[in-house]
Amino acid sequence: MQPTVLFDLDGLLIDSEPVWDAAKREVFGPLGLHLTAEMQAATRGLRQRDMVAYWFDRTIVQADPDEVERQIVAAVCRRLEGVALKPGAEQAVAACARASRAMAVVSSSPESVIRAALASTGLDRSFDAVFSAEDDEHGKPHPGAYLRAAAALGASPDECIVLEDSFNGVLAGVSAQMRVIAVPEAADRCDPRFAIATLVLESLKDLDISVLGAYGSRESRDAAWASAAADPQPLRVPDRAV
């Protein structure tokens, strides 16, 4: 049986983390909060409302949190045109489309940002659906967004494969009891917490698409994933129609 593949967006498919980081510096800087690279990394993968709440809880910022969130999202939208794809993203999406039953983007970003980013990169026709955690009761690392996406696509968690770049996203996928492929940023690759993922890759270019086809018996699945983890191979596109 073919799996359902659920992609994160920011930092995985598109090189938008610098865009979000710049937008947060633009909005928070005049309020007296100057975010370092380490501070930015601490909230990666969170919804913007959760990120804003995180810093309001830990610093003295005199502003309306809702307005700060709105300004950050607006600043990101201004910068999204021409955002670059991450290495291997286009090939990985095309290959997964051939090997999966359904595909979706599951992101902490607002739906308007998701759709704008996909349209800007030409990936908007590649997915069956997009899911934003913006209006969920809880965002990542809570598994709710992934479980909601699986249910909407008619898949059980055991039939889903999640691709994520941030630890908060990986934790969300693992908590949903899905298999998770982590593709961390180079600066985060040594973080031992990523060991909870089923596979950890340096790039989407390293995705061995054969693991998506390993959905017969549990024994065959486990053997295929163990082999991929031990000896990752370059992306291979199966000879199968979309």
Side-chain angles (χ1 to χ4, degrees), residues 199 221-231:
L199 292 176
R221 264 188 286 175
D222 291 344
W225 283 80
S227 174
D231 185 23

Side-chain angles (χ1 to χ4, degrees), residues 88-164:
E90 190 171 13
Q91 297 89 337
V93 168
C96 288
R98 294 175 181 269
S100 64
R101 185 176 67 83
M103 291 203 318
V105 170
V106 183
S107 173
S108 295
S109 291
E111 185 171 342
S112 59
V113 172
I114 299 172
R115 294 195 180 278
L118 292 178
S120 176
T121 56
L123 293 179
D124 49 326
R125 296 179 297 276
S126 300
F127 294 95
D128 299 293
V130 300
F131 297 90
S132 169
E134 180 182 25
D135 295 322
D136 289 354
E137 182 177 359
H138 303 289
K140 300 176 186 179
H142 191 278
Y146 279 119
L147 293 172
R148 179 164 59 87
L153 295 170
S156 67
D158 190 54
E159 295 169 335
C160 295
I161 297 172
V162 168
L163 288 95
E164 275 279 0

